[in-house]
Amino acid sequence: MKSPYWVMEIVTSIAPLLLALIMLGLGLELTINDFKRVLQTPKDFLVGFFCQIVLLPIIAFGLVKFLNTPIEIAIGVMIIAAAPGGVTSNVLTKFANGDVALSISLTAVVSLISIISVPFIVITSADIIGISISSDISITGIALKMALVVTVPVIIGMTIRGLAENFISSKI
């Protein structure tokens, strides 16, 4: 009888491709001007950045301490709180007619910063909770892969849009 882990192997190999395809689609709807607008009025970006990098982990840590959660759940909550926003937030922003360029900018920047922020938040909170993290886990490698799944497909989509502006605009 086959191990049930083969299903997880299929999911983990297909999921990044599907996420990249979604980001490609979002990139088809964006232009450089969308990102220039984010840079010209950085307040929204800075508020989102602060909330995601600082406020969310602090609130998560406060909750796990206040609720006295088991160590395994506490560290899981801290990993989730430290993880950068992902493709889902970008897609939900699109569905809500929100600022997709702002969402993607936050995802891309926080994903790049997560190379430092995720290990810092997780290891610091684990130390305070009283557990140690295995050195075998390469959070940096995971963060880089996440950034590639978000950033590269968006750039490709924007490039395609730039090369075929009339065709893409008529389909969106």
Side-chain angles (χ1 to χ4, degrees):
M1 183 170 195
K2 275 192 160 186
S3 168
Y5 297 112
W6 66 272
V7 173
M8 191 57 136
E9 290 177 23
I10 291 172
V11 169
T12 56
S13 62
I14 293 174
L17 296 173
L18 294 175
L19 295 175
L21 185 61
I22 291 168
M23 293 308 296
L24 176 72
L26 289 173
L28 289 171
E29 297 186 29
L30 297 171
T31 65
I32 296 293
N33 289 334
D34 294 322
F35 293 97
K36 285 180 183 175
R37 187 178 27 74
V38 171
L39 291 174
Q40 290 167 348
T41 55
K43 185 178 95 175
D44 294 338
F45 177 84
L46 294 173
V47 168
F49 180 82
F50 176 78
C51 288
Q52 196 168 358
I53 294 290
V54 177
L55 200 55
L56 181 61
I58 289 171
I59 291 170
F61 187 77
L63 284 172
V64 297
K65 291 304 276 181
F66 176 75
L67 296 173
N68 200 24
T69 59
I71 291 174
E72 297 83 5
I73 293 174
I75 199 64
V77 168
M78 293 312 301
I79 290 170
I80 291 169
V87 176
T88 305
S89 68
N90 301 329
V91 172
L92 293 176
T93 300
K94 169 65 179 154
F95 289 155
N97 293 322
D99 190 340
V100 177
L102 174 63
S103 180
I104 290 174
S105 296
L106 273 168
T107 300
V109 171
V110 172
S111 292
L112 292 173
I113 292 172
S114 69
I115 296 167
I116 298 166
S117 66
V118 170
F120 174 77
I121 292 167
V122 172
I123 291 168
T124 302
S125 60
D127 286 342
I128 295 170
I129 292 170
I131 61 172
S132 62
I133 303 290
S134 171
S135 61
D136 294 339
I137 298 173
S138 173
I139 295 176
T140 302
I142 293 168
L144 286 172
K145 288 176 188 173
M146 291 183 331
L148 288 174
V149 167
V150 172
T151 307
V152 172
V154 168
I155 292 170
I156 292 170
M158 289 174 67
T159 303
I160 291 170
R161 180 184 177 128
L163 295 173
E165 179 70 39
N166 292 335
F167 177 76
I168 299 296
S169 296
S170 70
K171 301 298 178 190
I172 295 178

